[in-house]
Amino acid sequence: MSTTADPLAALGALPGVADSVDSVRKAVDRVYGHRVMRRRSTAVTSEAALRGARGSAALSGADWPLEEVRRRSDFSGAGGDEEARTVGAALRLTAEAGQLLSIWRQSPLRVLARLHLVAAADNGDTVGRPRQGGEPVDEPLVELPLPDAQEVAGRLEGLSGLIIAGDSAPALVTAAVVHGELLALRPFGSHNGLVARTAERIVLVGSGLDPKSICPAEVGHAEQGRAEYLAALEGYVSGTPDGVAAWIAHCGRSVEFGARESTAVCEALQRGAA
């Protein structure tokens, strides 16, 4: 990331990023302007949460049909069903995100620790804290070089400082950087992808871009496919202006796809079909 006084704002000046920001704002405004949002916004929010959790789980290896996620009630992973555990973790994180908005700008590292605790659903001594030297990371779908624990600690502190200080960057840029940094660092021993995508959601909602949480970027990330997701992440990790801009654009398209998904939900509700 840039070393200027306002590094996230500087990223907003990268080629093409302004167009992505503008396109996302228009897409979000369109769905918020739908007539159904005036009467049934809570139903749209609930459906967006379910679809967002399904998308995030899919990117972590549990690509279940939406109706299966809706139907199931047991996500304990009994019998070694790791996919059920992943879907359950995604659902818990989506539910938890809304409870952490007020804490995020004051203590983002505390929020990230809480998200990992919720995802892991475990009381082990490695849960809810960044990994230490020599501790393994279970994130098989992200095969990028793994930063050591010292680099993780330093970059997490830097990211936290930027969030607490506030900046003039568009919400999309901040959300993309938070998401990208957490996936690049993989600071926890597990569930880093799920945590990163939930943190992206928290930024988008808390910034006021998507205050009712009806534009699930997770849907868009999944719809574009894991290969494209990981390729865009590699661009972010490269640190080049083009690579970072491509990642931000990818995140922007994901929000737009999430907005399109909720527009379809609005249309279904209007027809009385959902």
Side-chain angles (χ1 to χ4, degrees):
M1 288 188 292
S2 168
T3 57
T4 63
D6 197 354
L8 295 182
L11 293 181
L14 290 173
V17 169
D19 290 340
S20 293
V21 168
D22 184 57
S23 183
V24 164
R25 168 51 69 189
K26 290 177 179 176
V28 172
D29 286 348
R30 280 194 296 271
V31 67
Y32 271 84
H34 197 287
R35 60 186 301 178
V36 166
M37 287 297 296
R38 295 195 294 271
R39 299 178 286 109
R40 303 191 64 184
S41 64
T42 301
V44 180
T45 295
S46 296
E47 188 65 18
L50 184 71
R51 295 179 185 219
R54 192 220 73 84
S56 190
L59 288 167
S60 287
D63 192 1
W64 286 14
L66 179 63
E67 291 310 313
E68 177 67 9
V69 178
R70 199 191 304 278
R71 182 189 68 81
R72 286 280 288 267
S73 58
D74 180 8
F75 299 96
S76 64
D81 188 346
E82 291 299 327
E83 289 193 4
R85 288 196 184 98
T86 297
V87 175
L91 289 167
R92 290 192 301 274
L93 285 172
T94 299
E96 187 75 10
Q99 310 302 314
L100 299 172
L101 292 169
S102 63
I103 306 172
W104 174 254
R105 288 302 292 261
Q106 285 73 43
S107 186
L109 297 186
R110 179 181 164 196
V111 169
L112 293 175
R114 174 62 185 170
L115 291 176
H116 186 243
L117 186 66
V118 168
D122 186 357
N123 293 319
D125 61 5
T126 64
V127 174
R129 64 159 176 80
R131 57 187 167 84
Q132 299 173 0
E135 291 180 345
V137 174
D138 180 14
E139 204 75 37
L141 300 178
V142 179
E143 298 179 349
L144 296 168
L146 191 66
D148 63 30
Q150 184 174 359
E151 181 179 352
V152 168
R155 285 173 64 176
L156 281 178
E157 286 295 334
L159 185 64
S160 175
L162 288 173
I163 293 165
I164 292 170
D167 58 77
S168 57
L172 171 64
V173 172
T174 303
V177 168
V178 167
H179 185 169
E181 278 292 284
L182 292 174
L183 271 182
L185 296 175
R186 281 146 289 161
F188 302 109
S190 63
H191 300 94
N192 290 286
L194 294 174
V195 168
R197 290 183 289 274
T198 305
E200 178 186 45
R201 172 186 285 265
I202 288 173
V203 173
L204 293 170
V205 174
S207 67
L209 176 64
D210 180 20
K212 294 184 183 294
S213 195
I214 61 168
C215 301
E218 305 97 319
V219 167
H221 289 304
E223 186 168 333
Q224 293 181 82
R226 190 182 301 154
E228 189 167 336
Y229 180 67
L230 295 176
L233 177 63
E234 286 182 10
Y236 176 83
V237 171
S238 75
T240 65
D242 286 347
V244 174
W247 169 251
I248 295 170
H250 174 89
C251 291
R253 288 192 298 274
S254 296
V255 177
E256 290 184 57
F257 286 148
R260 185 180 68 186
E261 186 89 351
S262 284
T263 299
V265 170
C266 288
E267 295 293 331
L269 288 169
Q270 187 167 280
R271 294 192 304 269

